[in-house]
Amino acid sequence: MVTILKIIIRNFVRKPVTNLINVIGLSVSLTLVIILSVYSFSEFTTDNYHKNGDRIYWYAHKADKVYPFTPAVLRDQIDLNIPEVENTVRLAGSWEKPVFRAGDRDPITSDLVYADNGFFRLFTYQPVEGNLETSLKEPMTIVLTEELAEKLFGKETALGKTVKMNNDKEFTVSAVIKNPAGNTTLSFSAITSVASRKIVQSNEEEFTNWGYCNFQTFVLLKKGVDPGATAKKIANLFPKDDRSAERYAAATLIPLKEIYFSDFTLYGSEYMRAGNKGKIMILLMVAMLVLMIALVNFMNISSSQWVEKIRQTGVMKVIGAQRSTILKQMLSEALLLFFISFLLAILEIVLISPYIRNYTGIQFNQHILYSPLFLLIAVGGIFLLCMTFSFIPVLRISSSKAIDNLKKSVKPGANKSVFRGVLVTAQFVIAIVLIAFTLLVQKQVDYGSSSLGFNQENIIGIKLTPELSAKKYVIRKLFLEMPSVKTCSFTEYYPGSQLSHWANNQTIKGETKQFNFDIFNADSKFFEIMGLKLVQGHFYSDKMASDANAIVINEEFVRLHSIERPVGTKLMMGNSMSEIVGVVKDFHYKSVSSGIAPLVIWNNPQASYCMVNIQASDFDGLHNAIQKIKTETAGLSPSFPVEVSFFDQAVGALYQSELQFRHAFSLFAGCAVVICCLGILAMSLITCQRRVKEVGVRKVNGASVLEIMTMLNRDFVKWVAIAFVIATPIAWYAMHKWLENFVYKTELSWWIFALAGVLALAIAILTVSWQSWRAATRNPVESLRYE
């Protein structure tokens, strides 16, 4: 065994560059594969930790998208009329994140979820303090996560203590739970009872009227119950004359384990998260391609070392080595290389995973990394890869005769160079596809975040606290007196904020039909500050008394609801009629992946944000203006923290998922290209070493450096050209399918493919030329004396 180890070490030292390239390529590719495999495993096992997970279902209307809103009264009807249901729980988010305060400590802005008492019987959470069975039984009690409890109370016990919400309502902490797992659909920091909601929001009609669809309904089915049949029974509970009855006639029970990858929107509430299976699969595919490139490098480098291996095994056989010993030595060498790469990959993961998380948003669970199951799978996978790509050539060399080995008459195959060319071409195909896809992802994200239809520059948003909401006119006067403030607007809209969605019957010109639309309130300055474009009519104005209750709609509203003459048409808004005074050009007030929905902008004083347009000549002026605004608003709101943010950053947050996907894809594609370059470098190094004498002869006969470099680079250029022809249709198809996921998408331009090909060619030439130039400028005397 010691002899075998010495031979392995000697072989590593003899070819340090190529072996190092092998190790680097394999370790980087394994790093990406492990990170994405663990991430994907975590994503695909979301919510698996709930004990009753196989019997928990979400009742929602599922068509092109999931409509998750149900009336509160539905829960009572299910409990009374559907015996197949063991337990029913309603959930609802808060309209805006409340501010919690414990004693004299600093206020904390956090999320809050309302739930029925049976919540902890449906879902599994680990208690830290208190009894979860009774924690939501009484109104005005609250359950906190460990993280929020520590923020509010420090290291003190939170159980039984009082928390004040929005400087008004007081809650008693009834329990503290461990922070929810990272791979969960339900994500919250505080949860209170539905009974508390009746006190906090004081809207009794929300719990008696079928038209108020503000809740999400979860049911726990009894064992052996058919979910499809139960969903139909639940749909029959809706009154036939109610507007929700038709929609929920097609509703279904979505299993808990499928919710995470359902296409749903809660209109601003953040306590339910959705994943994107398509993006995960794309990233997994990229990781596999990166690994494939590294394995191609391994095969190419290994095949190029056949001559040395053949001679070495011949000598070993002459001195008496058995075939099993030679087989063991060669496989051990390959295994050692793979396991060194694996150990380096683990080290790289530990060091870079925080940076990967910050840059790409990929959450890496290191607990999985150290689990026995993962280690068993990883070691088994490494062994399988090694055997797959090493066993056949090793078996052939070890089974040959010693005399053939010493004469070098054992050949790896008649088409060795052709096979190596095929592998390198395959590498370039992958590299060109990934480069083209990276360019498209960049183009699509830029298109989505820049072609929004409204102004983003020099606008800040101030979240109105209860104290600021009562002083809007004071704030407006204060801001407009500042020379750097051009105008300000009070509105419910802000990128990422929760918007209302209305579904009601409207009677227009004697015809009654159902209207579905998003709606938010805004004053007359909103259109100016956003830079929106008018299509018909006029924007409502404070100077016109007739515009006091007016509304403006978007083009999609006109198209979807087929209104021939929208201006002058009246809609029922709440308890009064409002006149449409204008039609605004469509703009993306939500992420472009959601598409533009029908929208109503209502001249209503209720507001959640103050948007301020600042005009400053330089950065210092902008900074001073913002600091003054922060100081003034903080003075007007001493009991609540004031949140000030840049409008364009809030817009960027809408595309956080797309930006993170772009970062992840670009990073992994870049790694693939780097590994490909390393492989090409190794191949060029080996090629130049094999043709040293040929280069010397050609130089003696008068060949120039350029001619020799052209000769050495010719094969690589040919491989890139062939790869470009193969990669272009593959890339076009993959990119075309990816763009189908977007309602609004960029064009699939020809220059993307051309640029990808040019970049691949430039990368190949630059990588190879360095080594070929060294060979071409070498002293021909040294070349002829080589070996």
Side-chain angles (χ1 to χ4, degrees), residues 765-787:
I765 292 176
L766 289 174
T767 304
V768 174
S769 294
W770 172 70
Q771 188 60 37
S772 60
W773 180 82
R774 288 187 62 195
T777 56
R778 189 174 185 176
N779 190 328
V781 175
E782 294 180 9
S783 300
L784 292 173
R785 291 173 58 188
Y786 187 74
E787 293 183 342

Side-chain angles (χ1 to χ4, degrees), residues 143-213:
V143 178
L144 307 177
T145 61
E146 275 186 303
E147 184 179 5
L148 181 57
E150 186 173 345
K151 288 179 180 178
L152 290 170
F153 299 101
K155 300 298 182 181
E156 300 175 9
T157 299
L159 188 65
K161 293 185 177 178
T162 301
V163 175
K164 184 171 284 190
M165 186 179 81
N166 290 338
N167 207 31
D168 180 22
K169 306 294 184 183
E170 290 189 348
F171 289 86
T172 301
V173 179
S174 57
V176 176
I177 60 172
K178 289 186 177 180
N179 297 325
N183 58 337
T184 179
T185 303
L186 300 175
S187 178
F188 57 87
S189 298
I191 186 166
T192 186
S193 64
V194 170
S196 303
R197 185 180 176 94
K198 296 180 181 180
I199 298 172
V200 172
Q201 299 194 175
S202 303
N203 184 7
E204 188 63 33
E205 194 174 4
E206 182 182 41
F207 296 89
T208 58
N209 191 326
W210 285 89
Y212 281 81
C213 298

Side-chain angles (χ1 to χ4, degrees), residues 443-456:
K443 192 168 182 277
Q444 174 62 28
V445 172
D446 289 344
Y447 173 82
S449 57
S450 61
S451 306
L452 302 178
F454 58 80
N455 177 40
Q456 303 179 47

Side-chain angles (χ1 to χ4, degrees), residues 469-482:
S469 293
K471 303 170 184 177
K472 288 189 295 184
Y473 296 105
V474 175
I475 294 171
R476 184 190 295 275
K477 184 175 183 297
L478 187 66
F479 286 170
L480 292 180
E481 288 175 352
M482 298 180 184

Side-chain angles (χ1 to χ4, degrees), residues 95-313:
W95 178 256
E96 295 176 349
K97 285 187 176 182
V99 176
F100 294 107
R101 192 165 195 168
D104 296 329
R105 296 176 184 267
D106 292 335
I108 303 294
T109 302
S110 182
D111 55 80
L112 177 66
V113 177
Y114 299 92
D116 285 306
N117 185 38
F119 176 82
F120 291 109
R121 290 196 293 274
L122 241 72
F123 303 101
T124 304
Y125 291 91
Q126 299 301 317
V128 177
E129 299 179 52
N131 183 358
L132 296 185
E133 287 290 324
T134 59
S135 59
L136 298 178
K137 187 175 182 180
E138 300 297 328
M140 305 309 290
T141 56
I142 192 169
V143 178
L144 307 177
T145 61
E146 275 186 303
E147 184 179 5
L148 181 57
E150 186 173 345
K151 288 179 180 178
L152 290 170
F153 299 101
K155 300 298 182 181
E156 300 175 9
T157 299
L159 188 65
K161 293 185 177 178
T162 301
V163 175
K164 184 171 284 190
M165 186 179 81
N166 290 338
N167 207 31
D168 180 22
K169 306 294 184 183
E170 290 189 348
F171 289 86
T172 301
V173 179
S174 57
V176 176
I177 60 172
K178 289 186 177 180
N179 297 325
N183 58 337
T184 179
T185 303
L186 300 175
S187 178
F188 57 87
S189 298
I191 186 166
T192 186
S193 64
V194 170
S196 303
R197 185 180 176 94
K198 296 180 181 180
I199 298 172
V200 172
Q201 299 194 175
S202 303
N203 184 7
E204 188 63 33
E205 194 174 4
E206 182 182 41
F207 296 89
T208 58
N209 191 326
W210 285 89
Y212 281 81
C213 298
N214 297 332
F215 289 83
Q216 286 73 55
T217 301
F218 291 83
V219 297
L220 178 65
L221 298 185
K222 294 179 179 178
K223 293 181 179 179
V225 170
D226 179 12
T230 306
K232 292 179 181 178
K233 287 187 176 183
I234 296 175
N236 291 331
L237 298 176
F238 285 83
K240 302 303 178 186
D241 58 343
D242 188 81
R243 64 173 181 259
S244 300
E246 183 178 350
R247 174 188 295 134
Y248 281 96
T252 185
L253 287 173
I254 303 174
L256 176 65
K257 295 177 182 179
E258 295 180 9
I259 294 174
Y260 185 65
F261 291 116
S262 299
D263 190 5
F264 65 87
T265 303
L266 294 187
Y267 298 101
S269 293
E270 298 176 356
Y271 77 91
M272 287 186 68
R273 302 182 306 113
N276 190 312
K277 187 181 295 185
K279 290 180 181 178
I280 296 172
M281 297 305 295
I282 288 174
L283 292 178
L284 267 180
M285 189 180 302
V286 173
M288 292 299 110
L289 292 176
V290 173
L291 180 60
M292 189 181 300
I293 290 176
L295 291 173
V296 167
N297 285 349
F298 173 78
M299 293 172 65
N300 277 336
I301 293 172
S302 297
S303 65
S304 68
Q305 294 174 346
W306 267 86
V307 175
E308 291 81 1
K309 290 286 196 289
I310 290 169
R311 180 187 299 167
Q312 186 182 81
T313 53

Side-chain angles (χ1 to χ4, degrees), residues 618-685:
D618 53 28
F619 176 79
D620 289 337
L622 179 66
H623 176 74
N624 293 334
I626 293 173
Q627 288 301 117
K628 187 173 183 181
I629 288 173
K630 287 182 177 179
T631 303
E632 296 290 351
T633 50
L636 294 172
S637 181
S639 303
F640 293 86
V642 178
E643 299 175 16
V644 179
S645 59
F646 285 97
F647 191 79
D648 55 350
Q649 292 178 341
V651 171
L654 285 178
Y655 305 95
Q656 188 67 23
S657 175
E658 285 78 8
L659 289 171
Q660 289 178 342
F661 175 71
R662 182 186 73 182
H663 291 161
F665 191 93
S666 301
L667 175 64
F668 300 149
C671 289
V673 173
V674 170
I675 295 173
C676 186
C677 289
L678 290 174
I680 298 168
L681 178 62
M683 291 303 301
S684 65
L685 178 63

